[in-house]
Amino acid sequence: MAEVFFSPCPRGLENLLADELTALGARGAQAVHGGVGWQGDWAACQRANLESRLATRVMWRVAQGRYRAEVDIYKLAYSVTWAKWFSADDTIRIYVTAQKSPLQSLEFITLRVKDAVCDHFRTVVGRRPNVDTANPVVRIHLFLTADTATLYIDTSGEPLYKRGYKPAAVEAPVKENLAAGILRLTGWQPGEVLLDPMCGSGTFLIEAAQMALDIAPGLGRSFGFERLRIHDPGAWAALRRAAEQRRKSTRVLQIFGSDIVGEWVRRSRLNLEAAGLADCVRLDRADLLERTPPAAEGVMVANPPYGVRIGEAEELAAFYPQLGDALKQRWGGWRCYFFTADTALPKLIGLKATRRTPLFNGALECRLYEYRMVAGSNRDRPPRLAE
């Protein structure tokens, strides 16, 4: 019998994720706001965890019902056969999210779900699991709409954008699954030249190299479903083995990274080394306004600063026209993509965007701007007004 799953993702990537999950064996994938609902067997669940580049989690639906008050949610949570899937020795954490719920306190609802799970265990086995908010074995999610409550067990554990590398521990401005989605939106294909001239911690570079070498993004980590009682270690080992055998040998790729800040180049190199990809990507310290293209044509993708720190807005206002001039002078034949929340970029860069794709970086509304630079021409230059 098919199980029901929900996979959240960065907003704006829902349709891409639905296509990806379908290719991984999901049935009936339906994009909704913030994610994709789908059906499949346990093999599809495992494969989605191991191979999805875009999903944030894979959540398994274990109960759904209507509610009017807190007591209805308690009864729903108590009715679930939790002890069938994990033991009282496993720690738990409850997460609650809501859209248009009439209930006042999500904290109280969280406590009621926890009480229901613990009371279920007391009834069935005579003792209850403990709560661990830092590193729980089992994550239980409750999602509330105006009148419906849905309970999920998180089969992923840590969010899927945590690929299992990154020792240069910096909070990357773009999560790995959002970076992978942006690369998909550019239309970049392995074998095509790719440059990130503001490479920061190297997220775009690592995601692109993993795509080029067909490296499943979850090969370097473990998952929540491995701790559940229904887990089949043999089937999972076979699935992992198949992904490992598909992985291509490390080689020099047509992927380039640079940054004007030497420390970011160093961090990118450390992160590439941690991911086993240091020999695949060519890194340099360079100023985008001065550097030359590594090839006659290719794809540039960058995540410029957003101008949120004091003084940055003025610096960026001066930088954007210079960037537009540099692209026109040297980057003919390239497709250039800039991901930013800064609405000043399209106004000041002096180029006409051929596409603007709305995306969210967490709660921050952003755009992916596409500029197709025509080789041997300044036709992208806007007409100057007579002085």
Side-chain angles (χ1 to χ4, degrees):
M1 188 178 78
E3 302 289 348
V4 177
F5 300 95
F6 182 77
S7 293
C9 67
R11 284 187 286 166
L13 299 182
E14 294 92 344
N15 290 325
L16 284 177
L17 176 58
D19 292 342
E20 180 189 61
L21 289 170
T22 299
L24 293 174
R27 299 198 295 276
Q30 184 174 7
V32 297
H33 183 71
V36 176
W38 57 282
Q39 298 177 31
D41 56 16
W42 274 104
C45 169
Q46 292 174 338
R47 197 176 298 114
N49 274 292
L50 178 64
E51 305 215 23
S52 175
R53 301 186 190 280
L54 307 181
T56 302
R57 299 182 181 277
V58 178
M59 302 202 298
W60 171 37
R61 192 176 83 188
V62 295
Q64 188 173 62
R66 310 274 280 190
Y67 77 94
R68 294 182 65 185
E70 287 89 348
V71 66
D72 301 318
I73 293 170
Y74 174 89
K75 289 177 180 177
L76 179 70
Y78 182 82
S79 72
V80 177
T81 57
W82 302 110
K84 180 180 176 182
W85 300 318
F86 59 96
S87 80
D89 295 323
D90 294 321
T91 55
I92 61 171
R93 181 176 177 183
I94 313 299
Y95 302 79
V96 178
T97 53
Q99 289 181 358
K100 300 181 180 176
S101 172
L103 303 181
Q104 296 300 309
S105 171
L106 296 188
E107 290 81 5
F108 182 65
I109 293 299
T110 304
L111 287 173
R112 293 301 282 152
V113 174
K114 184 266 295 180
D115 290 343
V117 175
C118 292
D119 290 349
H120 165 87
F121 270 93
R122 283 197 192 96
T123 302
V124 175
V125 300
R127 56 198 182 92
R128 51 155 284 185
N130 289 321
V131 172
D132 181 349
T133 57
N135 188 30
V137 172
V138 178
R139 291 166 164 86
I140 297 168
H141 293 255
L142 171 68
F143 178 66
L144 300 174
T145 63
D147 59 4
T148 303
T150 309
L151 282 161
Y152 300 92
I153 289 178
D154 180 0
T155 69
S156 301
E158 289 289 319
L160 295 178
Y161 57 73
K162 294 192 175 181
R163 309 296 205 211
Y165 54 86
K166 285 277 183 83
V170 291
E171 185 62 28
V174 175
K175 296 283 193 293
E176 285 75 2
N177 58 340
L178 178 55
I182 289 170
L183 288 170
R184 292 262 175 92
L185 288 168
T186 68
W188 173 79
Q189 295 293 322
E192 196 173 11
V193 178
L194 180 78
L195 166 69
D196 179 356
M198 299 178 176
C199 63
S201 57
T203 307
F204 283 120
L205 304 175
I206 294 170
E207 291 299 307
Q210 288 196 333
M211 290 178 186
L213 297 177
D214 200 3
I215 299 172
L219 274 177
R221 53 163 287 168
S222 60
F223 300 94
F225 65 77
E226 295 178 70
R227 312 286 289 274
L228 298 178
R229 284 178 158 170
I230 52 176
H231 175 56
D232 181 345
W236 170 232
L239 200 64
R240 279 186 61 92
R241 224 170 15 249
E244 286 164 352
Q245 289 169 355
R246 213 178 58 230
R247 174 179 181 154
K248 295 172 184 169
S249 300
T250 301
R251 65 181 188 278
V252 177
L253 301 168
Q254 293 296 303
I255 298 175
F256 300 81
S258 60
D259 203 288
I260 192 171
V261 180
E263 174 61 16
W264 289 114
V265 177
R266 187 186 73 83
R267 291 182 183 183
S268 287
R269 186 167 284 112
L270 283 173
N271 290 331
L272 283 158
E273 287 171 357
L277 299 167
D279 296 332
C280 303
V281 177
R282 280 163 277 193
L283 278 177
D284 294 292
R285 183 175 180 180
D287 182 348
L288 171 56
L289 299 182
E290 297 174 0
R291 73 160 296 159
T292 55
E297 57 185 32
V299 174
M300 177 193 295
V301 61
N303 175 219
Y306 293 175
V308 291
R309 287 194 283 271
I310 294 172
E312 271 190 348
E314 292 80 3
E315 291 176 20
L316 289 171
F319 170 73
Y320 292 145
Q322 295 175 291
L323 173 60
D325 288 341
L327 295 179
K328 284 178 281 197
Q329 289 165 16
R330 289 195 291 277
W331 296 88
W334 280 67
R335 305 197 313 278
C336 302
Y337 297 84
F338 297 97
F339 176 69
T340 183
D342 190 352
T343 55
L345 182 146
K347 297 173 184 172
L348 297 175
I349 197 171
L351 301 168
K352 184 176 180 180
T354 46
R355 194 159 48 120
R356 303 173 181 221
T357 305
L359 294 168
F360 280 79
N361 188 3
L364 189 63
E365 185 173 0
C366 302
R367 294 285 187 278
L368 180 65
Y369 297 96
E370 175 189 76
Y371 299 96
R372 289 180 174 260
M373 307 311 299
V374 180
S377 161
N378 275 347
R379 71 181 66 178
D380 281 308
R381 185 185 297 275
R384 291 192 180 276
L385 298 174
E387 295 182 0

